[in-house]
Amino acid sequence: AAFYATVMTLNKKFRDISAYERTVVQLAVAGIVVAPYVFLTEDPARWSVGAWQLVLLLIVGFMHTGYTYALFFGAVSRLETQTVAIYSYLDPLVAVLLSALVLREPMGLGGIAGMVLVLSAIVILSVKTK
């Protein structure tokens, strides 16, 4: 949460850097931060990546992460802080809903409570800004 808040704050401050440059830097830093954890908790000898898996990994990496981050961070610098906060709150809410509806993952009491809290925060933020 602290890293996510830092990313949002920095993106709001750096207006003269293009969204694509910010995205490349942020994803590179994220990769550098996450890599030691992966290598310490997983066994690289067991990794098996074929050509098809590599193609899918590149599609997810560039299109579903890189391009969408660039779009999001490009909009962040042009939107009001309250609007960005609302969209940021909606992100985990949509993820939980999609995992339940599309992937048919069971939604427990914690997930439902979290969604209620997120929706409450959105309502409070919306009312407060008006």
Side-chain angles (χ1 to χ4, degrees), residues 89-90 92-93 109-125:
Y89 291 151
L90 285 174
L93 181 80
L109 188 58
I112 294 169
M115 288 175 40
V116 168
L117 289 172
V118 168
L119 287 172
S120 300
I122 291 171
V123 169
I124 290 168
L125 189 62

Side-chain angles (χ1 to χ4, degrees), residues 14-114:
F14 297 134
R15 294 179 185 262
D16 47 333
I17 299 172
S18 79
Y20 293 110
E21 290 170 339
R22 280 184 273 173
T23 300
V24 168
V25 169
Q26 289 172 10
L27 292 178
V29 170
I32 291 167
V33 169
V34 170
Y37 172 78
V38 171
F39 285 110
L40 290 172
T41 59
E42 299 294 327
D43 181 14
R46 293 184 33 201
W47 295 352
S48 169
V49 179
W52 182 242
Q53 288 89 0
L54 188 58
V55 168
L56 293 175
L57 182 64
L58 290 172
I59 289 171
V60 167
F62 284 106
M63 282 301 297
H64 299 283
T65 304
Y67 184 66
T68 54
Y69 259 48
L71 290 174
F72 178 74
F73 291 127
V76 164
S77 62
R78 295 182 179 95
L79 296 172
E80 293 182 22
T81 304
Q82 292 83 5
T83 305
V84 173
I86 289 171
Y87 289 142
S88 296
Y89 291 151
L90 285 174
D91 186 23
L93 181 80
V94 170
V96 170
L97 283 175
L98 287 176
S99 71
L101 297 174
V102 175
L103 300 176
R104 303 209 186 273
E105 292 182 357
M107 186 182 311
L109 188 58
I112 294 169

